[in-house]
Amino acid sequence: MSLWSWFLLPTLCLLPTSAAPRRGAPASANCELKPQQSELNSFLWTIKRDPPSYFFGTIHVPYTRVWDFIPDNSKEAFQQSSIVYFELDLTDPYTISALTSCQMLPQGENLQDVLPRDIYCRLKRHLEYVKLMMPSWMTPDQRGQGLYADYLFNAIAGNWERKRPVWVMLMVNSLTEVDIKSRGVPVLDLYLAQEAERLRKQTGAVEKVEEQCHPLNGLNFSQVIFALNQTLLQQESLRAGSLRIPYTTEDLIKHYNCGDLSSVILSHDSSQVPNFINATLPPQELITAQEIDSYFRQELIYKRNERMGKRVKALLEEFPDKGFFFAFGAAWLDEQCVGPLLGSELEKLGLLKWSAGT
């Protein structure tokens, strides 16, 4: 689970999560090439040992939107595995407290004191707009579950003036109509964590919050201001109707359910921060955008892959007689995207080559 998704987690924990997934044949996902559920790409990889261990690629959307389209081999692998590991420990209260602490400005500082006045005023206006619109964005089902606009806004954006600007930037990106409509249902990663706990499986994580959090706080001040300004410009353009997001959450869900996520769409789900590189930027701003992109590729892909690979290897060696189920963001397991980096790291560290399917 990427830190982007951690903005969802406190809200998702507000409501009971015992609702069962839809039963019966899944609704059509309008898949052109693979219409049968049994033929869909399960995003499941196997490490061939006895017992086998698995890697399963998740996306960070409400589990009810994808569960019926996840093939049985993936669900059976989850059921059969005695140990389930995630990127982060989704059920440990420390995870939430550590994330909250990581987001905060130093004691005594407020966002108004840190940001340029014009950006602060634009940010405040945008949040006032979101708060005004949120009642109309929410669904009848959300209201029926006791989730109300003021409560939801405070759960997501409460205490925003005490947050570091980079976290406010991520928060603004999560305060859209599409995202608001999805609140109240666990994302797939969290649902699997809750199911593992319910089934009394041993669970764990290969990363700590600080390892994902500190790189975000590692941007310098000018880079953070650039990122927040670009985010506000995008949201202001969306409000004015002059911009359309090329890849939506609906696109992501459809492609995942059809088993044909392209690396382009997949990266929109798994990236830690938006991609600010744009050919229309002035030269100096383009350099800043490229510096941010390069920094995060190094910190959140290359270094992270090496760290995750070593820890997976250590776990498999420590428990040779246990079957593991590793549920990571699908981008890390995608053959066309980041997966080869993680895969080659595991091979380099002495593991058997993994193969798609069961």
Side-chain angles (χ1 to χ4, degrees):
M1 172 180 274
S2 69
L3 281 179
W4 186 287
S5 303
W6 282 97
F7 285 101
L8 299 175
L9 191 53
T11 304
L12 296 173
C13 294
L14 297 176
L15 297 176
T17 57
S18 58
R22 299 184 306 278
R23 299 300 179 186
S28 171
N30 297 318
C31 306
E32 296 178 3
L33 299 179
K34 301 175 182 177
Q36 300 301 316
Q37 197 261 12
S38 61
E39 299 175 11
L40 297 179
N41 181 353
S42 63
F43 301 103
L44 183 72
W45 295 77
T46 305
I47 293 181
K48 294 182 178 179
R49 62 180 205 150
D50 188 20
S53 288
Y54 304 94
F55 289 88
F56 176 66
T58 66
I59 60 172
H60 311 310
V61 302
Y63 83 96
T64 52
R65 300 295 309 279
V66 298
W67 188 253
D68 285 341
F69 296 91
I70 295 174
D72 292 339
N73 64 347
S74 296
K75 296 175 182 178
E76 290 168 2
F78 175 78
Q79 291 286 339
Q80 293 168 6
S81 300
S82 56
I83 305 177
V84 182
Y85 261 68
F86 301 90
E87 294 173 23
L88 296 173
D89 190 339
L90 311 182
T91 58
D92 184 354
Y94 171 77
T95 301
I96 304 299
S97 63
L99 177 65
T100 301
S101 175
C102 176
Q103 292 182 37
M104 293 300 168
L105 287 164
Q107 191 66 33
E109 288 188 16
N110 290 298
L111 204 56
Q112 188 172 6
D113 305 321
V114 174
L115 292 180
R117 179 171 175 78
D118 63 321
I119 291 184
Y120 177 82
C121 291
R122 288 167 56 209
L123 171 62
K124 190 173 182 179
R125 280 197 302 271
H126 181 70
L127 293 178
E128 289 170 351
Y129 163 81
V130 169
K131 189 172 184 178
L132 179 67
M133 295 300 296
M134 194 173 283
S136 66
W137 289 350
M138 296 186 66
T139 67
D141 284 346
Q142 287 173 317
R143 296 190 189 93
Q145 295 177 63
L147 192 60
Y148 294 97
D150 285 347
Y151 183 57
L152 182 56
F153 181 84
N154 289 331
I156 301 169
N159 209 23
W160 63 270
E161 295 204 46
R162 286 279 299 116
K163 293 180 185 288
R164 295 175 183 268
V166 68
W167 294 96
V168 172
M169 180 269 292
L170 292 177
M171 181 190 75
V172 168
N173 268 293
S174 73
L175 285 169
T176 63
E177 181 175 0
V178 171
D179 286 330
I180 293 302
K181 288 182 184 298
S182 71
R183 303 300 173 108
V185 177
V187 292
L188 180 58
D189 314 66
L190 181 56
Y191 174 72
L192 289 173
Q194 292 169 337
E195 278 294 285
E197 199 170 57
R198 183 182 69 82
L199 295 170
R200 301 186 182 278
K201 294 179 181 291
Q202 182 180 335
T203 61
V206 296
E207 294 184 288
K208 298 177 182 178
V209 170
E210 293 83 356
E211 291 171 331
Q212 287 196 17
C213 184
H214 288 166
L216 284 166
N217 289 341
L219 289 177
N220 65 45
F221 184 72
S222 62
Q223 290 170 331
V224 171
I225 295 304
F226 166 81
L228 179 56
N229 180 57
Q230 289 298 312
T231 298
L232 286 171
L233 287 173
Q234 183 185 71
Q235 295 301 319
E236 289 159 355
S237 297
L238 288 169
R239 285 168 51 187
S242 59
L243 176 67
R244 180 183 177 276
I245 300 296
Y247 300 107
T248 67
T249 301
E250 292 301 317
D251 294 325
L252 180 70
I253 291 170
K254 175 183 175 181
H255 283 268
Y256 185 80
N257 286 342
C258 292
D260 63 352
L261 283 183
S262 70
S263 59
V264 174
I265 293 177
L266 192 61
S267 66
H268 282 260
D269 177 62
S270 298
S271 61
Q272 301 287 340
V273 295
N275 183 358
F276 298 112
I277 297 177
N278 187 320
T280 64
L281 290 173
Q284 189 56 48
E285 291 188 0
L286 181 59
I287 291 173
T288 300
Q290 291 169 337
E291 288 174 348
I292 293 174
D293 181 73
S294 175
Y295 172 78
F296 280 114
R297 283 182 178 276
Q298 183 65 30
E299 293 294 327
L300 298 174
I301 295 180
Y302 302 116
K303 289 183 180 179
R304 190 178 178 212
N305 267 312
E306 182 178 3
R307 182 171 66 239
M308 290 171 70
K310 289 179 178 178
R311 289 177 183 171
V312 166
K313 175 180 180 291
L315 284 166
L316 293 170
E317 289 179 341
E318 183 178 357
F319 301 98
D321 58 341
K322 300 290 185 180
F324 281 82
F325 186 92
F326 296 96
F328 297 160
W332 303 102
L333 309 179
D334 180 58
E335 291 179 275
Q336 304 301 320
C337 191
V338 188
L341 297 174
L342 181 57
S344 63
E345 181 62 32
L346 292 174
E347 288 184 72
K348 184 176 71 177
L349 292 169
L351 290 180
L352 293 174
K353 184 175 182 179
W354 51 0
S355 59
T358 55

